[in-house]
Amino acid sequence: SSVNMVGESASVEEFQAQMANYGVVSIDSKTVLGRLVSENTYVSVSRRSNHFEHLRLEDLFRQTMDSNFIALNDVEYGFNPDLGVSPTAPLMEGLDFSGFPSVLMHMGPVDPQIHAEFTELFYAQFRKGHPADSLRLAQKELIQRHPGSYAWAGYRLYGFPGMDEKERNAFAKKNFNGNVEKGGKYFLARDWLPAIAYFEKALGLMDMLPDKGSAPKIYKVLAQAAYNKEDYKKAILYQLELVRLVEKKSSPDELAEAIYFLGILYSRAEDFPKAVEHLQKALAIYQKNEILDKLAESYSTLGIVEENALGYDRALAAFNASLKINDEIGEEEFGRLLEFAMK
């Protein structure tokens, strides 16, 4: 999941309330390092003029959370040769205490084009759990793409560089179940955002584990949580991954169910052609395997989607098919059909 904090939402209070729910925090507004004067060191969480939304050192020491990663993309600092300490030291201490053991900084404003390339390159490798390698490979690629530019040199990694393979595997084994349990707790409490955050962390750790058998269950829960949060685009991404996984191993009933829910999600996102496409795929599987109760339900849902997409003739045909199947299995759907036919 992701959130873009702009305008009124870009406040210190909102930032502190939200930052624990995201594994990666990226700040494009200015960060100021005031040498060793704590009052002059802060992270601005807003670009709005005359809005001094500054996250200060004392704010960082008031809140701790699970380890996350932060990128500060516009750092302004002053260097005093008489001091034997880096100007980054006070901020790094505060960020580390708050739960950010690894910090990526760019000194000064970024080049927008090169920064977009760097971001894509860096985070493509980042999920493998080694920020230092991610930085090195991204910088190496930028040098090749832009041989006359030194923009790559503006990026520096501070703090924890990452783990080797043995350390990553041990860390994943130790923390995977804990993240699943925390995600489940928030899911049951209907607190969708932290539920999604912890299940996503579990997925990240699963990449380092030999047993990936619980991946379908986690993607299913993530899709449901995003659906409940009404983030249908995100739910579609989770459900697409679930369909890809269950296509390989699961029963026809499980595959059809996954495709059916994907159709529902496309419908909620008002992408009716894709909704109809996937509902018809689910119908075909239910029909082939004679799963009549699900077949009738799918026809009814397809009718609703076709109706919403203004395909009234196709909607009526789908409702009639649902009615016929329900008659065969002793159920009734006269109410919905009659309601539609009288429009």
Side-chain angles (χ1 to χ4, degrees):
S1 297
S2 62
V3 62
N4 186 20
M5 296 178 62
V6 296
E8 294 295 330
S9 68
S11 67
V12 170
E13 182 180 358
E14 184 66 14
F15 179 84
Q16 289 181 299
Q18 294 285 352
M19 66 180 183
N21 295 319
Y22 298 93
V24 174
V25 175
S26 182
I27 297 179
D28 291 334
S29 47
K30 189 177 292 294
T31 297
V32 176
L33 305 180
R35 300 181 182 176
L36 299 184
V37 181
S38 62
E39 291 80 2
N40 296 334
T41 294
Y42 60 84
V43 178
S44 177
V45 298
S46 175
R47 285 181 165 181
R48 293 182 298 166
S49 59
N50 300 322
H51 286 76
F52 303 104
E53 296 292 341
H54 294 166
L55 185 71
R56 298 188 177 277
L57 280 178
E58 56 264 34
D59 298 322
L60 294 172
F61 284 104
R62 293 193 184 106
Q63 181 177 2
T64 60
M65 56 189 173
D66 292 342
S67 296
N68 289 314
F69 179 84
I70 189 168
L72 305 174
N73 299 320
D74 184 1
V75 177
E76 176 184 297
Y77 70 99
F79 179 73
N80 187 338
D82 296 328
L83 294 175
V85 179
S86 166
T88 64
L91 182 62
M92 276 303 309
E93 185 175 350
L95 289 170
D96 183 50
F97 179 88
S98 188
F100 296 102
S102 293
V103 182
L104 178 68
M105 296 188 188
H106 183 276
M107 303 304 167
V110 297
D111 178 303
Q113 178 185 345
I114 292 180
H115 182 63
E117 294 180 35
F118 172 83
T119 299
E120 182 178 358
L121 292 167
F122 179 83
Y123 288 111
Q125 295 291 327
F126 177 79
R127 189 171 178 179
K128 297 178 181 178
H130 207 291
D133 278 352
S134 302
L135 175 61
R136 179 179 59 81
L137 292 172
Q139 289 178 316
K140 184 178 179 180
E141 179 64 24
L142 287 180
I143 292 171
Q144 294 176 349
R145 292 184 185 183
H146 307 279
S149 171
Y150 292 97
W152 59 270
Y155 298 94
R156 302 176 189 177
L157 183 72
Y158 293 85
F160 183 60
M163 297 175 278
D164 61 29
E165 184 175 357
K166 184 177 180 180
E167 290 171 329
R168 286 198 299 271
N169 292 341
F171 179 84
K173 186 176 180 180
K174 178 182 177 182
N175 291 278
F176 173 78
N177 289 334
N179 281 305
V180 170
E181 289 174 5
K182 290 177 183 177
K185 180 186 72 173
Y186 282 110
F187 188 95
L188 292 174
R190 304 182 67 81
D191 196 348
W192 308 122
L193 189 57
I196 290 171
Y198 279 111
F199 281 120
E200 284 186 335
K201 287 180 180 180
L203 279 179
L205 294 173
M206 187 179 290
D207 289 344
M208 309 171 201
L209 296 174
D211 182 8
K212 297 176 174 56
S214 56
K217 293 180 180 178
I218 293 178
Y219 276 112
K220 185 175 183 178
V221 172
L222 278 168
Q224 186 65 57
Y227 171 85
N228 293 340
K229 190 175 175 289
E230 299 184 1
D231 187 349
Y232 301 123
K233 291 183 178 180
K234 191 70 174 179
I236 286 169
L237 295 178
Y238 295 135
Q239 194 68 12
L240 282 169
E241 189 63 23
L242 174 61
V243 169
R244 185 186 69 82
L245 292 172
V246 299
E247 278 178 334
K248 300 176 181 178
K249 299 179 180 179
S250 298
S251 66
D253 192 4
E254 290 176 307
L255 175 59
E257 181 185 349
I259 295 174
Y260 172 81
F261 188 54
L262 184 56
I264 297 293
L265 292 173
Y266 277 121
S267 174
R268 290 300 180 95
E270 299 186 354
D271 189 342
F272 296 116
K274 286 186 177 180
V276 170
E277 175 191 345
H278 287 86
L279 289 172
Q280 288 176 338
K281 285 182 180 179
L283 277 169
I285 298 172
Y286 286 137
Q287 192 165 27
K288 180 180 178 181
N289 293 274
E290 298 183 349
I291 307 172
L292 296 183
D293 57 335
K294 294 293 182 68
L295 182 61
E297 180 184 348
S298 298
Y299 267 121
S300 179
T301 302
L302 179 60
I304 295 170
V305 172
E306 291 280 19
E307 179 184 350
N308 290 335
L310 304 181
Y312 294 115
D313 291 339
R314 295 189 300 274
L316 187 57
F319 283 129
N320 280 324
S322 175
L323 180 61
K324 182 178 179 181
I325 295 168
N326 278 321
D327 283 343
E328 293 177 3
I329 61 177
E331 298 177 3
E332 296 182 356
E333 189 146 328
F334 287 112
R336 180 65 187 167
L337 177 61
L338 183 61
E339 176 188 342
F340 176 78
M342 293 177 64
K343 289 186 177 180

